Every structure is written in C-alpha cells, then in structure tokens.
Amino acid sequence: MIKGIGIDLTEIDRVQAMVSEHPQFVQRLLTPAELKQYRQFSGQRAAEYVAGRWSLKESFSKAWGTGIGAQVGFQDIEIVDNQLGAPTVTKSPFNGIVHASVSHTATLVMTEIILESVDKDD
Ligand SMILES: CC(C)(COP(=O)(O)OP(=O)(O)OC[C@H]1O[C@@H](n2cnc3c(N)ncnc32)[C@H](O)[C@@H]1OP(=O)(O)O)[C@@H](O)C(=O)NCCC(=O)NCCS
C-alpha cells in the first residue's frame, strides 16, 4: 500500500553555492556513506550528486509529511547509488520500502520518493 509520495525540484547552482560558502554544509547534509560516494566525484558530477541528495531528502520529508526539521533531519535519511547507479534508500524513519528516483538537466535536479508499506503496521 502507498503511504506517501514526495517530489522536489532543486537548482544545482543553489546547492553548490551552499557547498562553497559553508564548509560544514556537506557534512551536515550527507551521511558518512554518502560522503564516501560524493568524494569519488568531481566537477559537475559532484554538484549533481550533492544537489540530488538534498532534493531526495526534501522529497522524503514531503512523503513523510513533516518537511526537514525537528521530526526528520538530513542525517536520518541516507540514499546511496547501487552498483548500477540507482539511488537506494539505506536509512530512514519509515519501516516499509522507500522508492527513490532522480533526474537532472545541466541546471536542475528533480526527485521523487514513494513510501510503500509492507505490512499493516508500517
Ligand atoms: C517542506 C519543504 C521540504 C518544502 O520545500 P521548499 O523547497 O521550501 O519548497 P517546494 O517548492 O519544493 O515545495 C513546496 C510545497 O511543499 C509542500 N509541503 C509543505 N509542507 C509540507 C509537508 N509538511 N509535507 C508535505 N508537503 C509539504 C506544499 O505542497 C508546498 O507547496 P505550496 O507552498 O504551494 O503549498 C521545506 O519547507 C523544508 O523542510 N525545507 C528544509 C530546508 C532546510 O532545512 N534548510 C536548511 C538550510 S541549510
């Protein structure tokens, strides 16, 4: 059963500005596993990756119904790319299955999160 859906559109430059202007921003946004993946990239690919994680976490927070804040923070949600490059949610407060999808152009990243319950208690 579908329990929630969230979408987000983020400007890559806006996130890149936060990366450049605030040295702690990347550590605040990304979990250690995401940081490890991020550090393998450079240039536009690195900018897409970090903007994608920002957007995915915003999408999750909408699907969850709270926004990012006291109830769910950036470190509570982890999305890493699997060996085929697909974004895979490896940590979140939701007990069921979390489906994630990302798309970008040169300037924008769009993401979608769907929360699916696997039993009636989720
Ligand atoms: C809820 C949140 C994710 C919305 O994202 P946004 O980038 O401000 O705005 P978007 O255009 O992507 O989305 C706006 C829509 O989110 C939806 N929305 C707002 N609160 C929501 C909630 N609790 N649950 C689900 N959807 C929500 C609304 O439909 C809203 O559209 P509306 O204004 O026409 O009603 C956002 O407020 C938030 O939590 N941001 C965290 C930002 C942050 O932590 N910044 C720290 C800076 S380092």
Side-chain angles (χ1 to χ4, degrees), residues 2-6 59 63 94 97-101 112-116:
I2 302 301
K3 300 293 267 195
I5 182 167
S59 284
F94 182 59
I97 302 167
V98 185
H99 303 273
S101 191
E112 180 171 31
I113 291 279
I114 293 172
L115 306 180
E116 181 187 1

Side-chain angles (χ1 to χ4, degrees), residues 48 52-53 55-56 79 81 87 100-104 109-112:
E48 286 170 359
R53 299 309 112 160
S55 181
L56 281 162
I79 310 106
D81 291 349
S101 191
V102 182
S103 179
H104 33 72
V109 57
M110 186 200 155
T111 58
E112 180 171 31

Side-chain angles (χ1 to χ4, degrees), residues 7-9 14 18 25 28 54 58-59 61-69 74:
I7 60 164
D8 181 75
L9 197 57
R14 194 170 68 85
M18 288 192 272
F25 171 75
R28 245 191 83 213
W54 167 278
E58 293 244 304
S59 284
S61 79
K62 292 181 191 177
W64 193 236
T66 59
I68 296 284
F74 292 124

Side-chain angles (χ1 to χ4, degrees), residues 64-90:
W64 193 236
T66 59
I68 296 284
Q71 282 145 308
V72 64
F74 292 124
Q75 294 293 320
D76 299 323
I77 311 155
E78 178 176 271
I79 310 106
V80 292
D81 291 349
N82 71 13
Q83 286 184 327
L84 297 175
T88 306
V89 180
T90 46

